[in-house]
């Protein structure tokens, strides 16, 4: 095995082993509260994959998780820590709502792409504010994106009680025009299998291509790995930081669009429900790889979808939070798993000899 | 251990005997002997990489010597860490300060041995003790200031007070003046004298001859890991020191064919550049480089060479002056534009600047050319051409291992240098800026690099060669400029001056000052 393929194998093994260990620890906790872990996990499995309805709800969750995960992962690759996906997603959703509501009789073939593009733009512009601040003044993106998150949150709240307010009860916007709604792939009772997943997976593939096949990706990663060498190679650090932020924000904005165009069809206060922050989890478990993010988004959406069913077996859904936390811990502290892998390999080598 | 030896050691605060330090790839100290009397200022001088810091780090317990003994005040010591060294009264101020930026001066000084009141940190007592120390030695500093707000010179004082606070009787100052302005240096010397008068022993590391001649009592000279001389200050002069420091013998003699330079490619006049601290680093430098000509820049490190190189390669702003390339003004161009105009650059610190260690060799071999055909087209990388280029470069420049898919960080230092050379030479430059091309390389690799530079010269490339290795500059250059504190001390051909004379220029004497005595007719001034 070459060093290359060994490294790649470890990169995949770390999250996989982390998940297994986290599930085992979860099982111990279930035992400790006097339940049967096998039953619990079986319920969880059924909850996540057992019916068309569970698939629908699973994939719905996965769509926005994947997109915010991509947003964060992409930023990381260029050395930018975008924890503002939440705000960018909100801004993207707002743009989708504002544009979508006004689409009226526009044919779908125009309405859908226009709405999507507007929300991508909105997220990109929102994130670029942090990118420009970092590039021009050195203001750290973690601070500025958190601030922008709050601003986006309050703008969203204002929209649904002010200019966009409609109806009684929970402050909310009107539904977007029919032509701006993304038709579901499949409808199962109340749930739908959103077509957004196709867009999200396509986004993952496009991001993969940008990172691995284009000069833009070459430059972005160079800046992320070693800004000094990048500068020496004639690569503009500030241009790439702003570009990275814009693309990252665009992805988060797209997540907001998918929530609005496939799921809620409108916005209401904090409709993003923390998906932007979940993006950090997804990126981390997916090892900042776009393809890896597909798997990690699916993992987290499955855990969450399954947790509802698990509650019927009397197990609190906090367990999912626990498992997710352990996975993140193990992936972040990858040394632990790497040491474990090396030990495992040695044991194997010993047996072979 | 013979008894006579022990008697001798009694008079000495520090004796280091036959110290050998072998790093995985470098023999940094080769049977080094050093002895410093109590209460003296003992200078250790040598070029970059001579092994000075390594020697001192062993005295301070940071490294353990491969072999050899250390005696402090006549007693043999075996340090297992700086803690042990501090206990016997050794303090060290490192080349790079080790202060906590957002704590105050007083907090920094007492960090690690805080006075306690009950179990709480007694800040009042700390402030008082620090104030006393600072007044005693004239180490003027505001104890309540936060470190990051202080200028470098003051931060250094804090480091010195910190060692005194911990009871240091033997102070190691590793290139303290490297970061100081001339005025700050003078202030430091005043402090050092006070410390000396108070009976402290000071080991003062430097590579600036004039400083050493000003402040020290005795001098140990190091070169390539060995001691090449130990002299009393009063018994020597800068000429002799320069000689011991740079060495007489030319290790490598390389065939340099006769060549008449062509038309002027680069013309720099009145160039001013600032360093990171916004101080003038290059002060009005002027020169020309012709086709097929090597202009060497000699000088002790830190005299503006780095800033000059960065300015010419677009990495640093040119404050004033002209930078003319092939008849056009290039003083405002960025890196990409300069590279596009066939100006390439082999930087001093290849790990930091010249490659991305996570990238495979084939990617590193296109850094700076990644937007050119055939490596990319319409924004897409062309992997096949990139890998083909890498394979041929790796073969031509003999990079090992030859796998173009290998991350460059896995290569040895010499092979990394070859990789960088391959890329920068392979780009067929018309002007190449080469900074310290052989730093850290073994003899074989050095010879190889020198041959490549001569080859470039034969191919009519204009070459600027910056090196701290005087021999290297002398061997390869057609003309030489010695830089001192940002200015040119003079320009000459390698055969025109002796090494001693060049050494004096490196210490701040101008060409006129040196040639005057031998030329009494010219004493008009
Ligand atoms: N920690 C280390 N590991 C490997 N090599 C080292 C280390 N520290 C220094 N060296 C090498 O030892 C030599 C002497 O370095 P140093 O003592 O820093 O020189 P000086 O202080 O005289 O400039 C150099 O070749 C340097 O690259
Ligand atoms: Mg040193």
């Amino acid at each position: 095995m070459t060093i290359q393929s060994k490294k790649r194998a470890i990169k995949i093994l770390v999250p996989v082993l982390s998940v297994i260990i986290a599930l085992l620890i979860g099982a111990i906790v279930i035992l400790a509260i006097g339940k049967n872990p096998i039953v619990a996990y079986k319920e969880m499995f059924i909850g996540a994959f057992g019916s068309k309805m569970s698939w629908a709800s699973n994939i719905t969750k996965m769509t926005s998780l994947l997109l915010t995960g991509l947003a964060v992962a992409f930023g990381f690759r260029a050395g930018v820590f975008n924890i503002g996906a939440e705000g960018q997603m909100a801004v993207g959703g707002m743009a989708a709502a504002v544009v979508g509501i006004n689409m009226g009789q526009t044919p779908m073939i125009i309405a859908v792409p226009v709405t999507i593009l507007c929300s991508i733009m909105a997220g990109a512009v929102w994130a670029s504010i942090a990118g420009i601040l970092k590039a021009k003044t050195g203001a750290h993106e973690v601070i500025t994106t958190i601030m922008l998150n709050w601003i986006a949150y309050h703008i969203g709240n204002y929209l649904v009680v002010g200019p966009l307010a409609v109806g009684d009860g929970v402050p909310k916007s009107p539904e977007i025009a029919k032509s701006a709604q993304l038709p579901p792939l499949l409808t199962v009772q109340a749930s739908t299998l959103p077509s957004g997943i196709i867009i999200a997976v396509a986004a993952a593939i496009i991001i993969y291509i940008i990172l691995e096949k284009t000069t833009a990706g070459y430059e972005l990663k160079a800046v992320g790995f070693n800004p000094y060498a990048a500068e020496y190679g004639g690569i503009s650090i500030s241009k790439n930081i702003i570009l990275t932020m814009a693309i990252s924000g665009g992805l988060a904005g797209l997540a907001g669009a998918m929530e609005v165009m496939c799921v809620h069809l409108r916005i209401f206060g904090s409709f993003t429900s923390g998906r932007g922050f979940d993006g950090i989890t997804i990126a981390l478990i997916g090892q900042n790889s776009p393809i890896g993010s597909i798997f990690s988004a699916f993992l987290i959406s499955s855990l969450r979808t399954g947790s509802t069913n698990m509650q019927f077996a009397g197990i609190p859904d906090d367990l999912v939070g626990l498992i997710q936390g352990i996975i993140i811990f193990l992936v972040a502290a990858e040394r632990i798993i790497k040491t474990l892998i090396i030990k495992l390999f040695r044991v194997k080598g010993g047996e072979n000899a | 251990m013979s008894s006579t030896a022990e008697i001798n050691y009694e008079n000495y605060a520090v004796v280091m005997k036959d110290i050998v330090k072998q790093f995985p790839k470098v023999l940094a100290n080769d049977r080094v002997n050093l002895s410093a009397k109590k209460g003296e200022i003992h200078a250790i001088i040598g070029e970059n990489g001579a092994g000075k810091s390594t020697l001192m780090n062993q005295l301070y317990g940071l490294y353990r010597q491969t072999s050899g003994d250390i005696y402090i005040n006549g007693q043999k010591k075996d340090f297992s860490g700086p803690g042990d060294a501090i206990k016997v009264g050794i303090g060290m101020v490192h080349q790079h300060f080790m202060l906590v930026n957002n704590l105050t001066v007083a907090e920094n000084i007492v960090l690690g041995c805080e006075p306690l009141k009950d179990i709480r940190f007694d800040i009042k007592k700390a402030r008082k003790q620090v104030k006393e120390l600072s007044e005693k030695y004239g180490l003027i500093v505001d104890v309540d200031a936060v470190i990051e707000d202080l200028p470098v010179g003051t931060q250094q004082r804090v480091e010195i007070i910190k060692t005194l606070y911990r009871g240091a009787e033997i102070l190691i100052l590793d290139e303290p003046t490297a970061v100081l302005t001339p005025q700050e240096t003078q202030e430091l010397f005043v402090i050092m004298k006070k410390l000396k008068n108070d009976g402290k022993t000071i080991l003062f590391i430097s590579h600036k001859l004039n400083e050493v001649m000003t402040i020290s009592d005795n001098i140990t000279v190091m070169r390539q890991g060995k001691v090449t001389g130990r002299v009393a200050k009063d018994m020597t002069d800068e000429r002799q020191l320069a000689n011991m420091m740079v060495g007489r013998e030319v290790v490598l003699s390389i065939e340099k064919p006769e060549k008449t330079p062509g038309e002027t490619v680069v013309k720099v006049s009145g160039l001013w550049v600032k360093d990171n601290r916004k101080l003038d680093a290059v002060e009005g430098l002027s020169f020309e480089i012709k086709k097929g000509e090597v202009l060497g820049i000699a000088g002790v490190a830190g005299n503006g060479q780095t800033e000059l190189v960065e300015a010419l390669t677009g990495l640093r702003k040119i404050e004033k002056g002209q930078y003319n390339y092939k008849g056009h003004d290039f003083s405002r161009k960025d890196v990409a534009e300069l590279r596009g105009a066939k100006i390439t650059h082999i930087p001093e610190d290849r790990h930091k600047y010249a490659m991305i260690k996570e990238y495979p060799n084939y990617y590193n071999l296109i850094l700076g050319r990644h937007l050119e055909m055939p490596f990319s087209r319409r924004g897409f990388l062309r992997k096949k051409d990139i890998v083909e280029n890498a394979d041929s470069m790796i073969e031509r420049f003999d990079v090992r291992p030859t796998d173009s898919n290998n991350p460059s960080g896995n290569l040895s230092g010499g092979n990394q240098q070859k990789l960088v050379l391959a890329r920068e030479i392979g780009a067929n430059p018309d002007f190449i800026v080469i900074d310290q091309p052989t730093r850290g390389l073994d003899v074989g690799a050095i010879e190889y690099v020198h041959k490549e530079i001569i080859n470039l010269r034969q191919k009519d490339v204009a070459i600027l060669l910056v090196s701290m290795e005087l021999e290297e500059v002398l061997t390869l250059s057609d003309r030489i400029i010695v830089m001192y504190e940002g200015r040119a001390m003079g320009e000459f051909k390698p055969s025109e001056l002796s090494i001693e004379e060049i050494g004096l220029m490196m210490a701040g004497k101008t060409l006129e000052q040196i040639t005057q005595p031998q030329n009494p007719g010219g004493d008009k001034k």
Side-chain angles (χ1 to χ4, degrees):
Chain A
M1 204 160 31
T2 67
I3 299 171
Q4 293 294 295
S5 51
K6 222 177 241 173
K7 274 209 172 133
R8 174 161 279 167
I10 285 181
K11 216 177 151 191
I12 296 169
L13 270 175
V14 166
V16 169
L17 277 180
S18 301
V19 170
I20 294 172
I21 292 172
L23 287 174
L24 287 176
I25 296 175
I28 294 169
V29 174
I30 298 171
L31 273 176
I33 58 173
K35 309 280 176 185
N36 184 342
I38 296 173
V39 174
Y41 283 148
K42 199 179 128 204
E43 289 302 325
M44 185 193 252
F45 191 84
I46 292 170
F49 313 114
S51 63
K52 278 183 182 162
M53 214 172 85
S54 50
W55 273 100
S57 125
N58 191 342
I59 297 302
T60 304
K61 288 200 179 74
M62 178 184 166
T63 302
S64 52
L65 286 176
L66 172 53
L67 285 168
T68 56
L70 284 174
V72 179
F74 186 76
F76 269 133
R77 292 298 283 273
V80 179
F81 191 6
N82 177 15
I83 61 173
E86 183 78 11
Q88 293 140 20
M89 181 178 171
V91 172
M94 287 178 233
V98 172
V99 175
I101 290 165
N102 292 304
M103 273 303 163
Q105 296 307 312
T106 321
M108 194 162 139
I109 193 97
I110 296 171
V112 165
V114 166
T115 312
I116 289 179
L117 274 177
C118 287
S119 45
I120 292 176
M121 289 288 292
V125 168
W126 199 248
S128 301
I129 299 174
I132 291 168
L133 285 172
K134 184 182 169 89
K136 301 293 173 207
T137 72
H140 202 285
E141 70 274 15
V142 168
I143 309 292
T144 51
T145 53
I146 289 178
M147 288 158 81
L148 287 164
N149 279 349
W150 283 106
I151 298 171
Y153 172 79
H154 288 295
I155 294 177
N157 279 346
Y158 164 73
L159 283 181
V160 292
V161 296
L164 291 184
V166 67
D168 305 322
V170 187
K172 55 181 182 290
S173 76
E175 271 200 7
I176 56 172
K178 197 86 195 149
S179 58
Q181 299 177 9
L182 267 173
L185 291 175
L186 197 78
T187 308
V188 195
Q189 295 165 17
S191 302
T192 55
L193 189 65
S195 43
I197 188 66
I198 295 174
I199 293 175
V201 171
I205 293 166
I206 291 169
I207 292 301
Y208 169 81
I209 291 170
I210 290 178
L211 280 172
E212 303 303 330
K213 308 284 178 203
T214 67
T215 51
Y218 179 90
E219 295 201 346
L220 288 171
K221 287 188 293 179
V223 170
F225 283 133
N226 182 349
Y228 299 105
E231 202 181 5
Y232 158 88
I235 298 169
S236 161
I237 294 175
S238 46
K239 182 195 113 189
N240 275 286
I241 284 175
I242 298 170
L243 180 68
T244 303
M245 263 303 193
I247 294 178
S248 177
L251 287 162
L254 182 59
M258 292 303 105
E259 283 293 291
V260 171
M261 295 167 73
C262 299
V263 187
H264 306 303
L265 306 180
R266 63 171 89 235
I267 54 165
F268 44 86
S270 59
F271 72 97
T272 51
S273 60
R275 294 282 158 83
F277 292 116
D278 290 332
I280 302 169
T281 308
I282 308 296
L284 214 60
I285 300 176
Q287 305 270 289
N288 295 332
S289 128
I291 306 303
S293 297
I294 299 180
F295 292 101
S296 61
F298 184 57
L299 170 77
I300 298 298
S301 66
S302 302
L303 282 174
R304 292 196 182 164
T305 315
S307 73
T308 323
N309 213 43
M310 205 172 60
Q311 285 181 66
F312 299 143
I315 289 152
D317 68 346
D318 297 329
L319 186 75
V320 166
L322 178 82
I323 291 174
Q324 193 180 310
I326 297 170
I327 299 174
I328 296 171
F329 173 80
L330 290 172
V331 171
E334 58 176 10
R335 267 251 115 88
I336 302 174
I337 300 286
K338 277 188 180 160
T339 319
L340 200 72
I341 292 172
I342 291 164
K343 285 242 168 79
L344 284 176
F345 271 120
R346 273 208 196 125
V347 169
K348 260 190 186 165
E351 281 169 357
N352 290 346
Chain B
M1 202 194 295
S2 74
S3 57
T4 49
E6 257 178 274
I7 292 162
N8 284 341
Y9 295 175
E10 295 264 286
N11 298 330
Y12 289 94
V14 176
V15 174
M16 299 183 81
K17 194 168 184 313
D18 290 332
I19 299 290
V20 174
K21 180 65 189 175
Q22 175 76 59
F23 285 120
K25 281 182 194 122
V26 193
L27 183 59
N29 287 160
D30 185 2
R31 280 165 290 141
V32 170
N33 287 295
L34 175 83
S35 48
K37 287 207 190 77
K38 271 176 209 159
E40 76 162 333
I41 297 180
H42 191 103
I44 301 166
I45 63 168
E47 293 192 300
N48 264 333
K52 307 177 297 284
S53 295
T54 303
L55 187 69
M56 291 302 107
N57 284 335
Q58 293 168 87
L59 180 58
Y60 192 54
L62 275 170
Y63 298 157
R64 183 183 283 269
Q65 63 270 32
T66 310
S67 66
D69 296 325
I70 296 174
Y71 299 83
I72 302 301
N73 299 320
Q75 297 202 326
K76 191 173 166 202
K77 297 285 175 195
D78 197 10
F79 301 139
S80 58
D84 292 348
I86 291 169
K87 262 185 224 142
V88 301
I90 299 174
M92 180 159 179
V93 176
H94 292 268
Q95 229 162 330
H96 309 281
F97 301 155
M98 307 199 167
L99 298 169
V100 184
N101 264 334
N102 47 8
L103 293 185
T104 67
V105 168
E107 285 164 346
N108 260 287
I109 289 170
V110 300
L111 197 70
C113 42
E114 302 89 344
L116 295 179
K117 191 158 109 190
D118 311 328
I119 52 162
R120 279 166 302 134
F121 172 39
D122 187 351
I123 186 69
K124 264 204 193 131
K125 187 154 174 222
R127 287 184 66 241
K128 195 162 150 272
Q129 290 173 333
V130 170
K131 264 200 172 139
E132 282 168 9
L133 274 174
S134 93
E135 274 158 23
K136 182 167 174 194
Y137 297 107
L139 286 152
I140 304 149
V141 52
D142 172 9
V143 294
D144 298 317
V146 176
I147 291 295
E148 61 191 353
D149 299 336
L150 297 176
V152 204
T154 315
Q155 291 191 16
Q156 190 174 63
R157 283 188 202 154
V158 176
E159 285 275 19
I160 295 174
I161 301 176
K162 184 166 178 163
T163 62
L164 295 173
Y165 180 82
R166 293 176 171 191
E169 289 297 322
I170 301 165
L171 269 86
I172 306 168
L173 307 180
D174 193 355
E175 302 214 24
T177 59
V179 292
L180 299 184
T181 61
Q183 292 82 352
E184 286 172 329
T185 302
Q186 289 315 312
E187 288 165 20
L188 174 69
F189 286 172
V190 173
I191 293 163
M192 283 168 67
K193 285 204 184 104
K194 280 193 184 149
L195 288 166
K196 177 188 156 175
N197 291 340
D198 201 45
K200 314 264 185 218
T201 308
I202 300 176
L203 295 172
F204 169 64
I205 297 169
S206 178
H207 52 222
K208 297 186 186 164
L209 299 174
N210 56 341
E211 291 178 0
V212 169
M213 289 305 290
T214 312
I215 192 77
S216 56
D217 299 307
N218 286 296
I219 303 161
T220 296
V221 188
M222 287 185 74
R223 174 175 155 74
Q224 292 180 354
K226 293 196 182 77
V227 170
T228 50
R230 186 186 188 285
V231 284
K233 196 264 303 280
D234 298 333
M235 308 292 287
T236 188
D237 57 15
E238 292 183 16
R239 193 180 290 252
Q240 190 194 13
L241 289 176
N243 207 338
M244 290 192 281
M245 205 164 118
V246 294
R248 234 179 303 241
E249 75 286 10
V250 174
V251 204
L252 299 156
S253 58
I254 184 162
E255 194 83 357
K256 194 170 76 178
E258 278 303 310
K259 193 163 189 334
T260 322
E263 72 214 48
T264 300
V265 179
V266 179
K267 189 168 190 304
V268 167
S269 47
L271 192 77
W272 286 74
V273 187
K274 285 193 182 348
D275 66 11
N276 289 340
R277 293 176 298 155
K278 302 265 181 289
L279 300 171
D280 290 324
V282 177
E283 306 179 6
L285 205 65
S286 303
F287 56 80
E288 277 185 38
I289 312 174
K290 298 193 172 67
K291 266 190 176 174
E293 189 182 40
V294 181
L295 175 67
I297 303 281
V300 176
N303 277 292
Q305 298 97 320
T306 308
E307 288 79 8
L308 171 66
V309 165
E310 289 178 352
L312 295 179
T313 52
L315 290 164
R316 192 175 283 275
K317 194 176 146 221
I318 292 172
E319 303 290 334
K320 250 193 301 188
Q322 265 134 35
Y323 175 18
N324 198 292
Y325 173 69
K326 292 184 184 171
H328 300 283
D329 178 26
F330 265 53
S331 56
R332 292 281 170 271
K333 301 262 189 229
D334 65 23
V335 179
E337 289 167 323
L338 293 171
R339 283 188 170 275
K342 292 205 164 292
I343 298 175
T344 67
H345 173 201
I346 298 174
E348 173 186 353
D349 190 340
R350 50 190 169 258
H351 302 276
K352 194 171 169 192
Y353 289 105
M355 44 166 258
I356 290 155
K357 61 182 200 299
E358 293 86 353
Y359 268 173
N361 291 335
Y362 61 73
Y363 269 1
N364 269 309
L365 281 164
I366 61 164
L367 182 63
R369 299 174 68 196
H370 55 279
L371 298 177
E372 288 171 19
M373 274 288 279
F375 305 131
S376 66
R377 221 176 112 194
R378 296 206 191 97
F380 280 87
L381 295 167
R382 294 163 50 123
K383 179 102 180 259
K384 190 164 157 282
D385 290 287
I386 292 171
V387 172
E388 266 171 22
N389 166 68
D391 287 337
S392 79
M393 287 291 173
I394 284 172
E395 193 188 324
R396 184 177 145 204
F397 288 83
D398 192 29
V399 179
R400 288 178 215 195
T402 57
D403 181 6
S404 64
N405 193 22
N406 193 14
S408 302
N410 293 350
L411 297 175
S412 69
N415 280 295
Q416 285 176 356
Q417 179 73 325
K418 282 184 187 171
L419 194 79
V420 174
L421 234 54
R423 181 184 62 220
E424 301 303 307
I425 294 174
N428 294 323
D430 289 336
F431 173 37
I432 185 166
V433 179
I434 307 178
D435 192 3
Q436 301 251 61
T438 55
R439 199 181 84 167
L441 297 190
D442 60 41
V443 182
I446 289 173
E447 194 178 3
Y448 175 84
V449 171
H450 286 178
K451 279 201 182 121
E452 285 297 336
I453 293 173
I454 294 299
N455 282 344
L456 281 172
R457 176 175 173 269
Q458 293 316 105
K459 281 190 217 147
D460 267 348
V461 180
I463 302 167
L464 183 83
L465 170 72
V466 174
S467 177
M468 308 304 135
E469 301 294 331
L470 193 49
E471 289 152 18
E472 185 163 87
V473 178
L474 284 170
T475 323
L476 298 174
S477 312
D478 295 300
R479 283 180 297 118
I480 296 172
I481 288 177
V482 175
M483 267 182 91
Y484 177 78
E485 294 191 341
R487 284 185 297 271
M489 292 295 106
E491 188 183 313
F492 51 91
K493 294 212 169 75
S495 54
E496 288 172 352
L497 293 182
S498 69
I499 287 193
E500 288 80 3
E501 287 167 323
I502 299 171
L504 287 175
M505 289 174 75
M506 287 164 66
K509 298 266 193 304
T510 61
L511 189 59
E512 291 79 44
Q513 285 169 329
I514 288 167
T515 44
Q516 236 162 25
Q518 284 134 14
N519 184 9
D523 62 354
K524 270 198 171 161
K525 185 191 155 201

